[in-house]
Amino acid sequence: MLLLAALVATASWSYGFAQIYPVQSPISITKSQRSARMTCEIKILQEMFESLSIHWYQQKEGRAPERVLHFSEGKLVVETGFLAKRYMVEKVSRQKRYILTIKDVIPDDAAIYYCAYVRLWDADIKIFGSGTKLIVSSKGNSPPANSEILKKEHENQITYVCLVEKFYPEVIRVTWTNEKNEEVTDNVVKGDTWKATKNEEYSIGSWLTVPLENKDKKYYCKYEHESQELSLPTQDIDFSSKTAPQEEDCDTSGNSTVFNRDHIIHRTAYLVYIVLLLKSSMYYLIVLFFIYRMWAVTKHQGKKA
């Protein structure tokens, strides 16, 4: 019985540990001949963190990931093909994070960098983070020129549209949170970034739909960009001054502005619906194709028999 209990405890511990993925900064932008810093945070128990073996991979566009280095027990080993003196890994135990620094950055360093750690009980399996995109540019970064929340009430629902406009570079993370600072993922549609102007400036939109009875609850649209982080509240805006659906009324609070733009919301929602419908149709056709192939092979084997 004791052995069984130990096995169950070990399995439960290992399962929970395996679900913890590294959290990486989404983007790092730098100019040539400067240093780039990328963070990798692993929120596990302190004793587990201290014994981790950390790996960093580089993936260039159109290529498979290639390991750059690994860091274990305070020792840094850089792979052949990479100049060892240009790489440094710093371990920050208090924050449970590792920081990779690339010195004297050159344009060829531009890539996505993934950090990964090895599971203590299985050295063949690595748990990867979402990656940090390193951009080497002479332009530098620029914060969003405008960020706003649009609101639309329809029957028994409220739709909030968070627009973040004219920023560079294009990598940005947009999330919704509630009053307890917990991330909201249900009924959220995240759009892709698009180039709004010819000046290498990008924009993005994200949609949150909530029941009408939640109209008094506060939600936040948070964006994280290389140049700036900001949180836009939904309840600091007074919507009671609307006069007519055709008119545009705005109220500014801090860094956020909310507009009653029905035509924008309808248009963007329609486009998102079309994209999702096309994706669903493609997946359906692919599944049908494989089912047909399996049926054909089975039928052919049956005739031979």
Side-chain angles (χ1 to χ4, degrees):
M1 289 296 292
L2 289 176
L3 177 60
L4 177 60
L7 289 174
V8 170
T10 302
S12 302
W13 171 80
S14 62
Y15 174 78
F17 184 58
Q19 306 310 304
I20 301 175
Y21 295 93
V23 178
Q24 296 186 245
S25 50
I27 186 172
S28 178
I29 181 169
T30 187
K31 296 182 179 181
S32 296
Q33 305 303 313
R34 294 189 180 180
S35 295
R37 287 166 55 90
M38 289 166 272
T39 61
C40 176
E41 184 177 353
I42 307 173
K43 300 178 181 179
I44 58 177
L45 296 177
Q46 193 66 44
E47 56 269 24
M48 296 180 185
F49 177 83
E50 296 297 335
S51 59
L52 288 182
S53 176
I54 296 296
H55 302 251
W56 246 283
Y57 287 78
Q58 177 196 79
Q59 184 178 27
K60 295 188 176 182
E61 188 173 357
R63 300 185 190 178
E66 181 179 6
R67 189 168 71 170
V68 178
L69 56 86
H70 64 275
F71 181 84
S72 180
E73 298 180 351
K75 296 180 181 180
L76 176 64
V77 179
V78 180
E79 299 294 331
T80 304
F82 298 92
L83 193 58
K85 67 179 183 180
R86 297 183 58 228
Y87 299 91
M88 181 179 73
V89 174
E90 179 185 357
K91 180 180 179 180
V92 185
S93 297
R94 184 172 57 86
Q95 297 177 345
K96 296 180 182 178
R97 67 173 54 177
Y98 290 87
I99 302 174
L100 170 65
T101 299
I102 304 177
K103 304 175 184 178
D104 301 323
V105 169
I106 58 177
D108 190 56
D109 291 321
I112 299 178
Y113 290 82
Y114 297 93
C115 74
Y117 68 88
V118 177
R119 298 201 305 187
L120 300 179
W121 62 93
D122 192 345
D124 294 329
I125 297 180
K126 296 183 178 70
I127 310 300
F128 282 80
S130 57
T132 296
K133 184 174 183 178
L134 174 61
I135 297 176
V136 182
S137 170
S138 59
K139 181 179 178 179
N141 58 59
S142 58
N146 181 55
S147 54
E148 58 190 22
I149 295 179
L150 315 178
K151 176 185 176 182
K152 171 63 179 178
E153 294 186 11
H154 179 67
E155 295 180 352
N156 59 344
Q157 293 181 331
I158 301 176
T159 298
Y160 297 107
V161 182
C162 180
L163 291 179
V164 185
E165 301 176 294
K166 297 181 180 180
F167 54 85
Y168 182 84
E170 73 274 17
V171 180
I172 192 171
R173 179 181 291 158
V174 181
T175 56
W176 290 91
T177 58
N178 58 22
E179 295 172 322
K180 299 179 180 179
N181 201 30
E182 299 170 337
E183 183 174 355
V184 178
T185 56
D186 292 338
N187 299 316
V188 170
V189 177
K190 298 179 181 179
D192 296 326
T193 55
W194 73 86
K195 188 182 295 187
T197 67
K198 297 180 180 179
N199 300 324
E200 294 294 328
E201 293 178 331
Y202 295 85
S203 298
I204 192 172
S206 181
W207 295 259
L208 169 65
T209 302
V210 298
L212 188 60
E213 56 263 27
N214 291 354
K215 64 180 181 179
D216 294 328
K217 292 185 178 181
K218 183 178 291 187
Y219 297 92
Y220 298 85
C221 172
K222 294 185 177 182
Y223 69 79
E224 302 170 60
H225 188 255
E226 175 74 7
S227 60
Q228 186 183 65
E229 295 184 10
L230 195 64
S231 178
L232 308 177
T234 59
Q235 291 300 320
D236 285 356
I237 309 302
D238 180 16
F239 293 98
S240 61
S241 58
K242 294 179 183 178
T243 55
Q246 293 81 10
E247 297 180 4
E248 180 176 278
D249 190 26
C250 69
D251 180 24
T252 304
S253 176
N255 293 316
S256 64
T257 307
V258 179
F259 292 88
N260 179 25
R261 299 178 182 171
D262 292 0
H263 63 285
I264 294 179
I265 296 177
H266 289 161
R267 183 180 178 186
T268 52
Y270 177 74
L271 290 175
V272 170
Y273 173 76
I274 293 298
V275 170
L276 294 177
L277 183 62
L278 289 174
K279 284 186 177 181
S280 299
S281 300
M282 288 296 296
Y283 294 149
Y284 179 71
L285 291 174
I286 291 172
V287 170
L288 283 181
F289 173 75
F290 281 106
I291 292 176
Y292 173 77
R293 288 289 301 274
M294 293 174 63
W295 174 80
V297 171
T298 304
K299 184 178 181 180
H300 183 67
Q301 291 176 348
K303 287 183 178 180
K304 283 187 175 181

